[in-house]
């Protein structure tokens, strides 16, 4: 196993950071790494906003559900799906591009573009000894986030990413069995087999939580997920993204 | 600069592979790397289908627009957004989860989850000396792809990924200037500045194409994008994903 794969397999989210800001050189290397990711048909449909200002970070932390590490970290990145520049280039080239920009296909492309770039940044950060945590919580209130970051139309903040020197050890959550995620030749649709695999995985996750909490918690994965999914979250999203000019068509 | 960042920055898409299939150990390491990526609230909303069967690869290549490297490579992965297992776990736990599964929020989560896992796999592959290419072309005809791969409801094949030993050298396309992708503190909305940056980038891309084609092609990025976006693509997508049980709500 090489160093890079070791870094990848050693990933865990870090939710407490030392009080050391990232240097400009580090930020540069990270953004360059993000930009090196593949992009669908060269479209480069994303932007990254770096936030250092403590007041802005505080506001974003509040909007994201008061997780202290959104405020206290080495650097905070906000990743956005971005078709604003494509709208501007349409004007520059005097070509109508609105239908494309508003298509569900282009919405999907922009989301995938953002995530590929972000994951490159995460791996680069971890290879430098930094820790990271994705912050989906900013989607709790995207209008609030937009105000803090002055976001134009056709740009959607998708998630934050905190980066910094780890100030705690964290454990790795056991993933679904490989057979459940990885199918050979076609999608495995044997429901009984599928359920048995989930039950086996439940034992793994339940032992994991039990050990980690000294017996206080012994959730299974399916119970945890069912509980989470029972209450739909962020149901304003459909209307919001359509209003922002995405996925209308 | 460390080895991992070097690998990341050296990325280029590879569209011609040696006739050497990946070993099972290599596939294992790659899938394990994919699974190590962060996943939103532990939801693990993706599946990966590995395709070796030449007949299936041939069909997928036809569906994706006849790119020969979709058929000829060391291994073909198809990455899918997957909420099928969450529907099943809802039944197992006797909890109603349909509204969550059908929300635009969960659709976005699943796309981001897939892409984070895929990019981990790409970096792991490149660290092993393998080349990769994302295949968005499978979205040309997702019903065709579903038939080949026996895909159930609540699963959407998002893109393919070819992996193998490179059989050609390829060049790196110059990315947008960092200032254009990376904003500090808030989104830079000065349209004149923005256009000037795009014009400067146009000179870079135009020289790149000129040099690469011996003067035959000298596209600017904005012209290339305007031309591409002028004709909306895959406009069946909105109806398709809603029919598949995604992003209805």
């Amino acid at each position: 196993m090489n160093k890079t794969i070791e870094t990848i397999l050693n990933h865990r989210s870090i939710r407490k950071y030392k009080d050391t800001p990232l240097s400009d050189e580090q930020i540069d290397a990270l953004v360059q790494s993000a930009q090196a990711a593949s992009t669908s048909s060269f479209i480069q449909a994303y932007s990254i906003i770096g936030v250092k200002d403590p007041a802005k970070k505080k506001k974003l932390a509040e909007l994201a559900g008061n997780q202290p590490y959104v405020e206290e970290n080495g650097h905070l990145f906000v990743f956005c799906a971005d078709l604003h520049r494509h709208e501007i280039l349409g004007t520059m080239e005097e070509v109508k591009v609105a239908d494309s920009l508003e298509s569900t296909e282009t919405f999907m492309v922009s989301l995938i573009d953002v995530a590929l770039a972000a994951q490159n940044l995460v791996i680069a950060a971890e290879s430098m000894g930094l820790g990271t945590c994705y912050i989906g919580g900013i989607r709790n209130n995207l209008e609030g986030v937009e105000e803090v970051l002055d976001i134009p139309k056709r740009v959607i903040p998708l998630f934050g990413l905190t980066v910094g020197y780890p100030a705690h050890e964290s454990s790795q959550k056991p993933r679904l069995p490989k057979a459940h995620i990885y199918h050979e030749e076609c999608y495995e649709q044997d429901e009984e087999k599928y359920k048995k695999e989930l039950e086996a995985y439940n034992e793994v996750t339940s032992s994991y939580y039990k050990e980690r909490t000294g017996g206080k918690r012994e959730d299974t994965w399916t119970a945890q997920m069912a509980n989470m999914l029972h209450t739909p979250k962020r149901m304003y999203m459909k209307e919001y993204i359509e209003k922002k000019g995405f996925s209308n068509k």
Side-chain angles (χ1 to χ4, degrees), chain A residues 7 11 17 22 26-27 29-31 33-34 75 77 117-133 161-166:
Chain A
T7 300
H11 167 73
Y17 301 95
L22 264 59
Q26 285 177 314
I27 295 171
L30 294 178
V31 173
S33 296
H75 199 65
F77 294 99
Q119 189 58 12
N120 257 16
L121 196 152
V122 164
I123 301 299
E126 291 180 343
S127 79
M128 290 158 70
L130 298 162
T132 64
C133 189
L161 184 79
T162 56
V163 182
Y165 289 98

Side-chain angles (χ1 to χ4, degrees), chain A residues 43 70-71 107 123 132 192-193 204 216 234:
Chain A
I43 192 170
V70 179
E71 199 179 336
F107 175 58
I123 301 299
T132 64
E192 286 318 303
K193 190 174 159 233
V204 176
K216 272 182 217 148
R234 302 170 186 153

